[in-house]
Amino acid sequence: MKRGVFITAILALLAGGFAVLSNRAVDIAPFAANAASIWNGKKVEFDGLHFLSPATLKPYLPLSRSNLEWLIFPSRIEKELQKNDMVKKAVISSCSGDLFSQWGCFRIKIVEDRPADFVLGKNTGWIFSESGRFLATGHY
């Protein structure tokens, strides 16, 4: 009789252990499903915007690149932003706070190349920046 109870107790422990393991797999599944958002999910804050809006700069942001790449190689993202004619300089930093609470949060300081000159032609005008770059054309 004792032997039957002992075997039953062992089997119950094994079955309970497998149940715990199967529950652990369920607990890990949401993490695995959200792994892409952990590595690539971003919150981007802009400073220094006067003429530009975040929506106009969004196409220049490589949002598909990992947060780790944004932290290690910010100059690559800054160069992408500077392809916009109105961006004179861009500086990327992580948001203030500790690394884990602010993971995926980036602050981008933009120095805009402001419009300075407007040249009129026959029914057309051209806008040039402070640095002399052509910014836009318009018809009047």
Side-chain angles (χ1 to χ4, degrees):
M1 182 82 176
K2 289 183 181 180
R3 184 174 182 185
V5 172
F6 179 74
I7 292 175
T8 305
I10 297 267
L11 290 174
L13 285 173
L14 287 175
F18 287 123
V20 168
L21 288 177
S22 66
N23 286 339
R24 294 277 184 214
V26 172
D27 291 340
I28 294 171
F31 176 78
N34 293 326
S37 67
I38 289 171
W39 288 107
N40 294 330
K42 291 173 190 58
K43 176 183 175 189
V44 179
E45 302 172 354
F46 288 94
D47 288 333
L49 295 181
H50 302 287
F51 298 102
L52 295 171
S53 69
T56 59
L57 294 176
K58 188 176 179 180
Y60 296 94
L61 293 174
L63 296 173
S64 62
R65 294 186 188 163
S66 74
N67 292 333
L68 196 58
E69 185 174 349
W70 277 53
L71 287 170
I72 296 173
F73 304 110
S75 61
R76 292 180 183 175
I77 291 94
E78 293 166 359
K79 286 179 184 174
E80 290 292 321
L81 285 166
Q82 290 171 355
K83 289 180 180 178
N84 183 309
D85 290 332
M86 289 287 290
V87 176
K88 187 187 276 186
K89 184 177 181 182
V91 178
I92 298 178
S93 60
S94 59
C95 296
S96 60
D98 65 40
L99 178 65
F100 297 108
S101 67
Q102 297 297 323
W103 178 258
C105 181
F106 297 93
R107 178 167 285 124
I108 302 176
K109 171 74 173 149
I110 299 289
V111 177
E112 294 177 341
D113 202 0
R114 299 172 187 244
D117 295 318
F118 186 73
V119 178
L120 292 175
K122 187 175 181 179
N123 299 326
T124 306
W126 297 273
I127 301 173
F128 293 91
S129 70
E130 292 173 335
S131 63
R133 288 194 298 176
F134 170 76
L135 295 178
T137 186
H139 300 282
Y140 59 94

